[in-house]
Amino acid sequence: MKHRRNPRCPNIYRLAFSISILLLFLFFCFSYTEIPNSFLPNSGKTLKAPFPQCNIEKTLDLFPRGERFLWFAPHSGFNNQLSELKNAILMAAILNRTLIIPPILDHHAVALGSCPKFRVSSPTELRISVWDHIIQLVRTRRYVSMADIVDLSSVVSSSIVKTVDFRVFASLWCGLNMELACFGSRCCALSAIRSLSENFKQCGSLLSGTKGNVDQCIHAVEEDCRTTVWTYQQNDDGLLDPFQPDEQLQKKKKISYVRKHRDVYKAFGPGSKAEMAPILAFGSLFSAPYKGSELYIDIHEAPRDSRIQSLLQKIEFLPFVPEIISLAKDLSANMIKAPFLCAQLRLLDGKFKNHWKSTFSELKQQLQSLSVVDKGKTTNPIHIFIMTDLPRANWTGTYLGELESNFNSYKLYNLQESDELVKLTARKLMAAEHGLRSGFLPRARDGMSKKKECPSVLLPDILLYVEEAICSCASLGFVGTAGSTIAESIELMKKNNICLNS
């Protein structure tokens, strides 16, 4: 016997199917707002702030109301980082922002790339690399602020620009425990004030701009030296820069953009989208002259702003802190005890390792000119302070070995990081806490007034800075490696008579 079909079944099936479709549709509509922005198109647009640091009410009692900061990503060696610091000071002053002073990064721990070849890391990539390296410095207890080594007192005292040490900012804004980055009791007490999140990765993501611009919190600058040359009060906003990628490079790199001049004040100052963001995050701020242009920042004068014009003069030369200068003068007077020549010889680093002959040639010529004496007269040995990355044990067989063995004509001096006076100065320098004292510090709070012992940290390597200062005291002259930023720094110190004036 056959079962008869219920004629209502198809209608029931259709109704159930329709209800299912409706429920799925409603579920999708409801869930759409919960989908992370990173999975949606145009995720680089401004996001609502998912970070506790962006809750303004939580930070009002830590920083002055309305405080706005500028953060940047330094790279390469120390003197490149110093050059970027000067540009950062300038940008912060123009935009009326408090500059976050970074630590000194390990030599070439972060690399930019080549602006002339239009091959550089993006600003976001640089910020991520810098953040990761800073956390490595903290965890290995090797943190040294740029302001611990470079004297910023002339800039800060003029009130043209305000600064805050990265450790202070990370402690107060990010709620991170920075004890491992402290040497003195003031820093240790500060790091214990309060913790908002204790999440290094979260704050790194915020400052790096990996989520793009976070609403009412951070504006991450994505322009770099491939597309932009920053200017100020030059009436050239939007104009093409003279230096552009040539046709061959355009085809090879598939470059469709051009380099334009942009006024930094118009881009990020009053009336801009970035103005109200508490944090303005740049990538690299490195710049240098190239083919009649500037690689990234072309601000050498401020025609209608006397305040910035004064700052440009102040940052042209930023000396080392007094402890370093004092040691250099002491060693020049009591170790060498005579007029001397300084030779700065880069022999192992980067491009310099393949040009020993040219590196030594100018030194030979200088010594020959100093060795010329009247017939029949004798002379004392020429005193030479050697600043080089070639270990003294490896001088044998080189021109340095020749000079060292000719002790009747030359007397050589060399400094080591392990020398007791260098270590003693490093300890004094870190105890002085220049980095913290030169910038913003919160009012005394519970815990800050109490002395607190910090975990022991490693003494910083200050040999480079002491050697540069000693070379500025060389009254018989200076011979530097062509193309080295170290040589340029020493020449600038000599020009400013640091050895005589400090």
Side-chain angles (χ1 to χ4, degrees):
M1 182 184 205
K2 293 184 179 178
H3 293 283
R4 294 181 62 188
R5 282 188 173 182
N6 187 339
R8 297 192 309 170
C9 285
N11 294 331
I12 293 173
Y13 292 149
R14 288 193 204 101
L15 181 61
F17 180 76
S18 299
I19 292 173
S20 299
I21 293 298
L22 179 60
L23 289 173
L24 284 172
F25 178 75
L26 291 173
F27 177 78
F28 178 79
C29 291
F30 175 77
S31 302
Y32 184 84
T33 57
E34 301 302 314
I35 297 175
N37 285 353
S38 59
F39 290 98
L40 299 175
N42 301 319
S43 61
K45 292 183 178 179
T46 299
L47 308 177
K48 294 299 179 182
F51 302 94
Q53 297 84 2
C54 298
N55 186 334
I56 304 300
E57 296 303 319
K58 285 189 176 182
T59 57
L60 284 178
D61 62 333
L62 302 179
F63 290 107
R65 185 180 291 271
E67 194 82 3
R68 298 175 308 137
F69 304 92
L70 188 146
W71 166 244
F72 72 106
H75 65 87
S76 300
F78 170 76
N79 286 291
N80 278 68
Q81 294 173 45
L82 177 56
S83 170
E84 287 189 84
L85 176 65
K86 293 178 181 180
N87 285 332
I89 290 171
L90 177 61
M91 299 293 241
I94 290 173
L95 298 172
N96 194 26
R97 286 180 174 270
T98 297
L99 177 62
I100 303 171
I101 303 294
I104 298 171
L105 309 186
D106 289 340
H107 189 66
H108 291 319
V110 178
L112 170 65
S114 172
C115 285
K117 294 180 180 178
F118 290 75
R119 186 181 65 236
V120 297
S121 299
S122 73
T124 298
E125 290 171 331
L126 285 169
R127 289 189 291 260
I128 292 171
S129 296
V130 168
W131 176 268
D132 289 344
H133 185 64
I134 289 177
I135 299 309
Q136 180 187 348
L137 292 175
V138 172
R139 287 174 174 161
T140 55
R141 305 182 184 183
R142 296 184 298 113
Y143 189 105
V144 183
S145 172
M146 283 292 292
D148 285 329
I149 301 300
V150 180
D151 188 353
L152 300 182
S153 60
S154 63
V155 173
V156 175
S157 62
S158 65
S159 300
I160 299 176
V161 67
K162 295 180 292 183
T163 66
V164 60
D165 189 278
F166 175 85
R167 290 166 293 186
V168 177
F169 180 83
S171 295
L172 303 186
W173 182 276
C174 296
L176 302 181
N177 186 337
M178 300 298 288
E179 281 188 353
L180 295 181
C182 293
F183 190 92
S185 58
R186 180 184 294 262
C187 179
C188 290
L190 178 68
S191 68
I193 287 181
R194 134 188 223 178
S195 175
L196 292 174
S197 65
E198 191 56 37
N199 190 326
F200 283 84
K201 187 175 180 180
Q202 184 187 67
C203 197
S205 177
L206 172 67
L207 290 181
S208 299
T210 56
K211 298 292 185 182
N213 296 335
V214 180
D215 188 28
Q216 297 182 339
C217 192
I218 180 170
H219 183 92
V221 178
E222 292 304 326
E223 292 89 348
D224 59 32
C225 59
R226 292 170 292 187
T227 63
T228 305
V229 178
W230 294 114
T231 64
Y232 179 57
Q233 295 187 343
Q234 297 299 317
N235 299 319
D236 60 355
D237 193 48
L239 297 182
L240 291 179
D241 185 68
F243 174 61
Q244 299 288 342
D246 57 35
E247 289 185 16
Q248 183 180 1
L249 190 60
Q250 286 180 9
K251 291 178 181 178
K252 182 179 179 182
K253 299 287 185 183
K254 297 181 181 179
I255 294 175
S256 59
Y257 46 78
V258 293
R259 279 164 46 92
K260 289 185 178 181
H261 286 200
R262 292 191 63 193
D263 188 295
V264 67
Y265 189 75
K266 291 180 180 179
F268 304 120
S272 69
K273 189 176 179 181
E275 179 195 10
M276 297 310 296
I279 304 171
L280 179 65
F282 279 92
S284 165
L285 287 177
F286 175 75
S287 189
Y290 187 78
K291 292 189 175 180
S293 183
E294 286 281 349
L295 290 179
Y296 192 46
I297 298 173
D298 192 1
I299 305 175
H300 300 287
E301 58 180 14
R304 302 181 300 279
D305 194 333
S306 58
R307 184 179 67 99
I308 300 302
Q309 190 63 47
S310 172
L311 179 63
L312 284 165
Q313 296 170 0
K314 288 180 181 296
I315 64 174
E316 181 182 0
F317 173 66
L318 295 175
F320 291 130
V321 292
E323 289 84 354
I324 292 174
I325 301 298
S326 177
L327 175 61
K329 293 173 68 174
D330 182 53
L331 290 174
S332 299
N334 299 314
M335 178 179 76
I336 303 177
K337 299 180 181 179
F340 67 97
L341 171 78
C342 173
Q344 180 263 329
L345 309 168
R346 291 183 73 172
L347 300 170
L348 300 179
D349 183 37
K351 63 182 181 181
F352 306 105
K353 62 186 177 185
N354 298 319
H355 301 281
W356 284 33
K357 186 175 181 180
S358 58
T359 301
F360 285 134
S361 62
E362 188 180 349
L363 175 58
K364 291 180 180 179
Q365 294 175 13
Q366 185 81 351
L367 291 177
Q368 286 172 0
S369 65
L370 290 173
S371 298
V372 174
V373 293
D374 292 336
K375 246 183 188 180
K377 289 188 178 180
T378 59
T379 183
N380 293 323
I382 297 173
H383 296 259
I384 312 171
F385 179 76
I386 302 294
M387 178 182 180
T388 182
D389 52 358
L390 183 68
R392 193 156 192 160
N394 297 341
W395 288 8
T396 304
T398 71
Y399 182 59
L400 286 175
E402 291 180 31
L403 294 177
E404 189 174 35
S405 60
N406 189 356
F407 47 83
N408 289 324
S409 300
Y410 309 107
K411 188 169 183 180
L412 274 54
Y413 301 86
N414 188 231
L415 201 59
Q416 302 295 326
E417 189 68 38
S418 57
D419 290 349
E420 197 57 41
L421 271 177
V422 177
K423 291 194 295 184
L424 179 62
T425 300
R427 191 173 296 280
K428 287 181 179 177
L429 185 147
M430 295 304 288
E433 296 189 294
H434 292 296
L436 260 65
R437 294 173 187 275
S438 63
F440 166 81
L441 284 173
R443 295 185 301 273
R445 304 171 60 89
D446 293 341
M448 273 202 70
S449 57
K450 301 174 184 177
K451 287 193 175 181
K452 186 173 186 237
E453 292 297 324
C454 268
S456 59
V457 297
L458 298 176
L459 286 176
D461 185 341
I462 65 169
L463 183 63
L464 170 66
Y465 325 123
V466 176
E467 288 180 322
E468 285 190 15
I470 290 175
C471 283
S472 73
C473 297
S475 58
L476 293 185
F478 167 66
V479 176
T481 303
S484 168
T485 55
I486 296 174
E488 294 173 5
S489 175
I490 295 169
E491 292 284 10
L492 190 58
M493 293 177 73
K494 289 179 67 66
K495 178 182 174 182
N496 285 272
N497 297 315
I498 282 300
C499 199
L500 298 176
N501 296 338
S502 298

